[in-house]
Amino acid sequence: MIVIAGNHDDPFRLDARSLLTEFVNVQILGRPRPASRGGARTIETRCGETAIVAALPFASAGAWVSALDLAGEEASARTQYARMFERAAQDLSGAFRKGAVNLFMAHTHIEGALFGESERRVHIGEDWAASPEALPSKASYIALGHIHKPQRIEGPAPRSPDTTPMHAPSAATTHDHVATKSS
């Protein structure tokens, strides 16, 4: 199992706990990291398949945009954040392999996503949304968190938000989540 930090989690605390949880085959990523430093993980399934999981935990605006940039022109800071997300997605998906089940998971939201009733608006403004074009087209499946309302986002790979039952508010748990795989 792989767990990534969300916007309500302490990324440093989760990274510290990951040292213990790996003993029970649970991998936790608190902070975004490059594929070469553990951001992409290889998992062998019980069926003998290989899954490559490109995992991108939540990154606050301050994690990818400097305080100086945040204090400057707002549009420029938002553009820089979106570019950093795209670079991270490209780096992580570079670990994908032909013949493997290539999964991309991120705790973010995408421009144009429909908000549910349980999100805190301060954390989900369109200002810090990632572009759908930034999502890796080579992914077999894309799982997005942050927006609690299940929905399909058009693009080159199947994707669905909030596919995990953990920390799902009651409004989100009334929906069935369906995982699909592209051919």
Side-chain angles (χ1 to χ4, degrees), residues 150-181:
Q151 58 197 281
R152 197 160 194 57
I153 298 172
E154 295 306 316
R159 53 188 69 120
S160 174
D162 200 22
T163 57
T164 175
M166 296 177 65
H167 301 294
S170 59
T173 58
T174 59
H175 303 284
D176 292 327
H177 298 293
V178 179
T180 59
K181 181 182 173 188

Side-chain angles (χ1 to χ4, degrees), residues 1 4 9 22 24 39 83 87 89 100 107 119 122 132 143 154 157 161 182:
M1 176 182 356
I4 59 173
D9 298 316
E22 287 186 11
V24 291
R83 260 186 284 160
R87 282 186 198 155
H107 193 92
E119 292 90 359
V122 70
E154 295 306 316
S182 63

Side-chain angles (χ1 to χ4, degrees), residues 9 26 28 34 44 59 83 102 110 115-116 126 134 145 149 161 164:
D9 298 316
V26 175
I28 299 176
E44 299 299 327
R83 260 186 284 160
N102 297 306
I110 302 301
F115 301 148
E126 283 294 321
K149 182 177 183 173
T164 175

Side-chain angles (χ1 to χ4, degrees), residues 25-177:
N25 206 25
V26 175
Q27 302 174 46
I28 299 176
L29 287 88
R31 292 171 291 156
R33 63 197 72 188
S36 63
R37 292 192 26 224
R41 309 283 176 110
T42 302
I43 298 174
E44 299 299 327
T45 69
R46 290 181 212 162
C47 302
E49 289 184 297
T50 299
I52 307 296
V53 181
L56 186 52
F58 178 75
S60 67
W64 282 347
V65 181
S66 74
L68 192 57
D69 290 331
L70 286 170
E73 186 181 329
E74 190 175 333
S76 175
R78 288 194 308 263
T79 300
Q80 184 176 347
Y81 182 87
R83 260 186 284 160
M84 290 299 294
F85 179 89
E86 185 172 9
R87 282 186 198 155
Q90 286 174 352
D91 173 69
L92 293 169
S93 64
F96 289 165
R97 296 195 314 242
K98 192 173 186 136
V101 178
N102 297 306
L103 307 170
F104 180 78
M105 63 187 292
H107 193 92
T108 191
H109 75 283
I110 302 301
E111 293 168 353
L114 303 172
F115 301 148
E117 298 174 12
S118 59
E119 292 90 359
R120 293 182 185 175
R121 298 286 180 218
V122 70
H123 291 291
I124 58 170
E126 283 294 321
D127 296 351
W128 304 106
S131 166
E133 291 79 24
L135 298 171
S137 61
K138 294 179 182 177
S140 306
Y141 184 76
I142 295 173
L144 303 172
H146 205 54
I147 300 296
H148 303 159
K149 182 177 183 173
Q151 58 197 281
R152 197 160 194 57
I153 298 172
E154 295 306 316
R159 53 188 69 120
S160 174
D162 200 22
T163 57
T164 175
M166 296 177 65
H167 301 294
S170 59
T173 58
T174 59
H175 303 284
D176 292 327
H177 298 293

